[in-house]
Amino acid sequence: MAAVAASALVAGGAFAQATDKPAAGKFSDNVVRIGVLNDQSGVYADFGGKGSVAAARLAIEEFGGKVLGVPVELVDADHQNKADIASAIARQWYDSDKVDAIVELTTSSAALAVQQLTREKKRINIVTGAATAELTGKQCSPYGFHWAFDTYAMAKAVGGALVDNGGKDWFFLTADYAFGHSLEEQTAKFVKSRGGRVLGQVRHPLNTTDFSSFLLQAQNSGANVVGLANAGMDTSNAIKAAAEFGIVEGGQKLASLLVTLAEVHGLGLPAANGLVLSEGYYWDLDDKAREFGERYMKVTGRMPNMVQAGTYSAVRQYLKAVEAAGTDDADAVAAKLREMPVEDAFSRNGKVLANGRMIHDMYLFEVKKPSESKKPFDYYKLLATIPGDQAFMTVEESGCPLAK
């Protein structure tokens, strides 16, 4: 099992409390303990990884390392993208290490497994790194929250908004497993709802290295958008191959349904330019986003993506909810999380629905050409903003039993 690292945070921040005395009897062990559980060594290590741990630490530092005089500690672990390992770590954290909340949870299978455990243990989980909308759908939990993005929002932002920007005819390159099929299906629905067409699709195995035959089919399809319904190294390999095939230079748009600034940075602008994608955060959107991005870069040497900025937001909001509730009791904190607005470097006018879905604006971006980039991490051009109440499902649409 992956080793767990823990650290107490230093004092001195905007939310530091005047008293150093814990609120007697209102905190389970006189420590508020938060765990970041994610992929730190595999295909999603850049997607969240240690970068999410750094983001969580920045949020805790804003509180001066304490909430209502109670120390805040951070622990982290690598779940290796395996649901059984994620569950085992989470169970140890809850039963032995007295962790109050778990955040990030890259990989949908791991997130769903841990959310089921948090329901049983009556602890809080806030997912920022997994995509499945089931977390706030049929498998929703009174103690479970979904923060940064989901498959529905990504499909709507890329599929729907790109059609509005001229991308009418689509061809999909889809990973041949449940995640890829779902992403293609949801995106195709939004494409068609806006008057677009799906001219064809091709399925590829997980961990494909040679996309030549698939891209030839995409070029010959007559589609003006090639949609990548995959993730991780499959997406990166497809984008590299598309650059070699001259997909964008030939007049087609390349649209990725799940890629972030971290992957674009890894690919480089010569390979990624012209790619259309969606994120819920970009460091250069406004002053608040830039201020956090610059603080994060001083610590990590790179700008955050939406998963890492979302983790910062989730931890910050959790501590605000503990502060407002006056306790780390999960029922009281969950109620405050659903009640309080989310206003920070990640979210503008965000709010949490009854099913635990935090809704916020999503953005459609196009990756710049190398000649258009003027400074480090200056990678995106904003094409469209999708308001949060349009980007995400309503509680009723989600199928969450909490809607009743």
Side-chain angles (χ1 to χ4, degrees):
M1 184 179 295
V4 178
S7 58
L9 281 302
V10 298
F15 293 91
Q17 302 302 310
T19 178
D20 286 331
K21 295 181 180 179
K26 295 185 178 181
F27 290 83
S28 54
D29 61 346
N30 286 330
V31 176
V32 174
R33 196 168 285 110
I34 301 168
V36 177
L37 183 56
N38 61 2
D39 176 10
Q40 299 182 6
S41 58
V43 293
Y44 300 120
D46 283 343
F47 189 70
K50 285 292 187 179
S52 287
V53 179
R57 188 170 289 114
L58 286 172
I60 295 170
E61 286 176 350
E62 287 190 14
F63 279 75
K66 295 181 179 181
V67 57
L68 297 177
V70 177
V72 180
E73 291 184 358
L74 184 67
V75 299
D76 70 271
D78 183 352
H79 63 35
Q80 302 172 46
N81 293 314
K82 296 179 180 178
D84 58 341
I85 292 177
S87 293
I89 294 171
R91 189 176 295 278
Q92 176 190 318
W93 279 359
Y94 287 149
D95 292 345
S96 302
D97 301 334
K98 308 302 179 186
V99 168
D100 298 293
I102 294 176
V103 300
E104 224 268 42
L105 292 167
T106 315
T107 311
S108 293
S109 59
L112 288 166
V114 171
Q115 180 156 293
Q116 178 58 34
L117 184 64
T118 59
R119 176 197 286 271
E120 295 170 10
K121 300 291 184 180
K122 294 188 177 181
R123 305 291 175 89
I124 300 291
N125 68 270
I126 308 179
V127 177
T128 58
T132 179
E134 283 297 292
L135 286 158
T136 51
K138 293 178 181 178
Q139 298 192 52
C140 67
S141 162
Y143 307 103
F145 299 85
H146 204 178
W147 219 251
F149 70 102
D150 61 29
T151 50
Y152 181 95
M154 300 299 278
K156 190 167 188 179
V158 179
L162 188 50
V163 171
D164 293 343
N165 279 264
K168 298 289 185 182
D169 294 335
W170 284 62
F171 184 93
F172 286 98
L173 268 68
T174 303
D176 196 10
Y177 61 106
F179 164 76
H181 297 178
S182 174
L183 203 52
E184 178 194 316
E185 181 182 353
Q186 290 188 35
T187 307
K189 180 180 70 174
F190 290 120
V191 168
K192 293 172 183 177
S193 72
R194 300 293 180 91
R197 301 185 300 168
V198 176
L199 303 185
Q201 63 280 122
V202 63
R203 304 282 169 81
H204 68 80
L206 183 65
N207 294 326
T208 294
T209 55
D210 185 0
F211 281 85
S212 301
S213 63
F214 308 127
L215 288 167
L216 281 172
Q217 292 181 60
Q219 283 183 318
N220 294 331
S221 68
N224 58 3
V225 179
V226 179
L228 303 179
N230 48 25
M233 288 306 299
D234 283 334
T235 302
S236 295
N237 288 335
I239 292 169
K240 290 175 185 176
E244 294 172 2
F245 271 74
I247 294 289
V248 174
E249 291 177 359
Q252 292 176 298
K253 281 194 176 296
L254 191 65
S256 176
L257 304 177
L258 185 53
V259 74
T260 73
L261 191 78
E263 291 77 49
V264 171
H265 179 69
L267 287 163
L269 293 184
N273 79 89
L275 178 69
V276 177
L277 57 92
S278 178
E279 290 207 56
Y281 167 90
Y282 177 50
W283 71 270
D284 206 17
L285 273 176
D286 58 23
D287 289 341
K288 275 189 176 181
R290 277 188 288 274
E291 188 275 334
F292 172 69
E294 287 163 4
R295 281 200 292 133
Y296 182 91
M297 191 168 183
K298 285 180 182 178
V299 174
T300 65
R302 59 171 60 193
M303 287 295 181
N305 62 11
M306 68 172 170
V307 175
Q308 293 149 348
T311 301
Y312 158 82
S313 173
V315 171
R316 184 180 186 274
Q317 195 73 3
Y318 173 76
L319 292 174
K320 287 185 68 177
V322 169
E323 182 180 61
T327 177
D328 60 2
D329 174 77
D331 288 295
V333 174
K336 288 298 180 182
L337 282 168
R338 286 179 168 84
E339 173 186 315
M340 298 166 57
V342 184
E343 185 71 32
D344 55 29
F346 176 83
S347 171
R348 307 294 172 275
N349 304 310
K351 61 181 179 181
V352 178
L353 304 181
N355 61 351
R357 175 69 259 175
M358 197 274 276
I359 63 172
H360 54 87
D361 293 350
M362 294 292 292
Y363 307 98
L364 186 70
F365 297 111
E366 181 176 317
V367 177
K368 292 181 176 182
K369 298 176 182 177
S371 61
E372 296 173 319
S373 179
K374 305 303 180 185
K375 53 190 173 183
F377 291 91
D378 177 22
Y379 293 162
Y380 291 170
K381 293 185 287 189
L382 180 63
L383 299 180
T385 299
I386 303 91
D389 58 0
Q390 297 176 27
F392 294 93
M393 278 188 278
T394 65
V395 178
E396 293 73 22
E397 289 172 328
S398 73
C400 171
L402 297 177
K404 303 175 183 178

